[in-house]
Amino acid sequence: MFTIEHEFDATVITLVDEGPAPITEDVTINAFEECVTIEQLDPQTDRVQKITLSTGQLRDLTAALNLPEGIYRLRDTGE
């Protein structure tokens, strides 16, 4: 299950782990104009862990999800 909320400066997506145990903590993705942050509560430390991706890194991740194993560099098409 997931939710999508549009806030003033970001789109917030929350991924909820459903299914048989073990269930992990929710993942929150904040999409800003200049970057994307991914947050998840670490139950061992009771602290939220955050990863920040630039728009270029997000573009590369999106492409990588559909490519076979290897090393790649995306070219700017000028669009």
Side-chain angles (χ1 to χ4, degrees):
M1 180 180 98
F2 62 92
T3 66
I4 301 172
E5 301 172 58
H6 297 290
E7 296 186 1
F8 172 72
D9 62 345
T11 297
V12 179
I13 301 167
T14 302
L15 308 175
V16 179
D17 192 10
E18 296 182 303
I23 293 178
T24 61
E25 297 292 329
D26 295 354
V27 173
T28 303
I29 303 164
N30 296 287
F32 300 96
E33 187 174 332
E34 68 282 352
C35 69
V36 171
T37 63
I38 303 168
E39 300 174 340
Q40 185 177 41
L41 176 68
D42 180 348
Q44 294 178 334
T45 63
D46 201 33
R47 296 178 63 174
V48 173
Q49 302 296 319
K50 181 193 280 190
I51 296 172
T52 302
L53 300 174
S54 69
T55 54
Q57 289 173 313
L58 184 61
R59 180 200 65 218
D60 291 349
L61 175 59
T62 302
L65 292 174
N66 296 310
L67 291 170
E69 188 175 329
I71 299 172
Y72 300 90
R73 176 176 288 134
L74 296 178
R75 284 188 268 186
D76 186 8
T77 60
E79 293 178 21

